[in-house]
Amino acid sequence: EQALAWPNLLGADFYLSDFTLPGANGLELLDTIAQAAASPINAALMTGETSPELLGMMRASRWTVLVKPVGLENLQALMRRAALGLG
């Protein structure tokens, strides 16, 4: 709720959310941001969840899913590809 109230929310180059949040989950947060944005957003979802059902649900979404621990090199590569429009 606090993130969604931030006045510059829709100006980010890349969004990174944990799946487990107070209140809504990270999928809901990224979907809400995407719906409010004027153009497609670059985003990824991080999780430490190991449940096959939850991981399946996350991977079925439109967001890239990063399973913790996430290496800095992997995160930087993902953000570079997004900046270049390569996904």
Side-chain angles (χ1 to χ4, degrees), residues 22-46:
N25 65 46
L27 285 175
E28 295 166 330
L29 174 67
L30 293 178
D31 286 342
T32 300
I33 294 169
Q35 290 171 359
S39 59
I41 65 168
N42 294 311
L45 185 67
M46 289 192 338

Side-chain angles (χ1 to χ4, degrees), residues 1 3 6 16 36 39-40 43 52 57 59 61 78-79 84:
E1 292 173 353
W6 188 51
L16 182 63
S39 59
M57 176 187 67
R59 289 186 172 132
S61 75
L78 175 65
M79 293 174 83
L84 295 172

Side-chain angles (χ1 to χ4, degrees), residues 1-4 17-29 49:
E1 292 173 353
Q2 290 175 333
L4 294 173
S17 177
D18 196 276
F19 176 74
T20 305
L21 300 173
N25 65 46
L27 285 175
E28 295 166 330
L29 174 67
E49 295 288 341

